[in-house]
Amino acid sequence: MKHVKRTFTVLTVILSLAFVLAACGGSKDKGQVITFEGSDLDGTKVSSKELFGSHDVTMVNLWTSTCQGCEDELGELSDLNERVSAAGGCVIGLIMDTDMDDAVEECRGKLEAKGATYTNIPATEQMRKDLESNIYPFTYFVDSDGKVLDTITGNQGLAKYEEKFKALLDKDFQ
């Protein structure tokens, strides 16, 4: 019986480690830089340099059209974007679906239904490769140069995002 218990414990540790490693995907670590170019949902050309450069801290929220946790937070993220902007913060979304032809209109509809007006960008193939994650939403906090300051995995609620912004901006906001 002792042998079975030890084997079960070892297997649990191995599976947990495998899950954590798989969840990391192509994600960037703290200190690494995120760069990209693309177009937002309106077709306007955007670049990470321009988006990040005009803010002290930018929250980059990776999400997909099939993720319920992602959809649930869209309206809250729009509200958060409005509240952090005066303190030097910004929220943007990167839509990480692999079939962008179908996803763009679906995501546009979800954003409209939730009243979300912050910038959302359909990921290019290169963006998906560079920022791939097996868990969505996956969120980066970057400085004005695109350097990763911190990350949040999954939908942990608005309070967690607010907490990160307050710590990273070293400012309070409404």
Side-chain angles (χ1 to χ4, degrees):
M1 189 66 162
K2 211 178 211 185
H3 177 70
V4 171
K5 188 174 182 180
R6 186 177 331 148
T7 301
F8 179 75
T9 302
V10 169
L11 285 174
T12 301
V13 169
I14 290 170
L15 288 173
S16 296
L17 182 59
F19 176 75
V20 168
L21 292 173
C24 293
S27 65
K28 302 285 187 187
D29 294 323
K30 285 184 184 180
Q32 290 184 305
V33 176
I34 293 175
T35 61
F36 61 80
E37 292 184 1
S39 299
D40 65 16
L41 285 173
D42 295 326
T44 304
K45 297 283 185 197
V46 295
S47 74
S48 56
K49 183 177 180 177
E50 292 169 357
L51 290 169
F52 303 156
S54 56
H55 305 284
D56 296 327
V57 175
T58 301
M59 177 180 154
V60 182
N61 182 254
L62 281 57
W63 66 287
T64 70
S65 64
T66 59
C67 169
Q68 186 61 50
C70 301
E71 184 177 348
D72 290 345
E73 66 184 15
L74 295 175
E76 291 177 334
L77 294 182
S78 190
D79 176 62
L80 179 62
N81 183 52
E82 291 176 20
R83 292 187 291 121
V84 300
S85 65
C90 178
V91 176
I92 65 169
L94 289 183
I95 303 166
M96 300 298 287
D97 289 69
T98 54
D99 184 1
M100 220 37 91
D101 291 337
D102 292 336
V104 168
E105 288 310 312
E106 186 174 348
C107 290
R108 187 187 319 271
K110 290 178 184 215
L111 289 160
E112 288 174 5
K114 296 288 185 171
T117 58
Y118 62 99
T119 300
N120 273 271
I121 303 159
T124 64
E125 186 176 330
Q126 188 63 50
M127 284 182 219
R128 284 193 302 278
K129 180 181 173 191
D130 291 347
L131 301 171
E132 176 186 22
S133 176
N134 293 329
I135 298 175
Y136 294 102
F138 189 91
T139 304
Y140 292 100
F141 288 84
V142 301
D143 68 9
S144 59
D145 295 319
K147 183 173 69 173
V148 176
L149 303 171
D150 214 339
T151 61
I152 295 178
T153 303
N155 179 346
Q156 295 187 23
L158 185 61
K160 189 72 166 179
Y161 296 135
E162 290 173 338
E163 178 184 307
K164 288 286 186 200
F165 263 121
K166 286 177 184 177
L168 294 170
L169 289 169
D170 197 26
K171 298 177 188 172
D172 205 357
F173 53 88
Q174 297 297 324

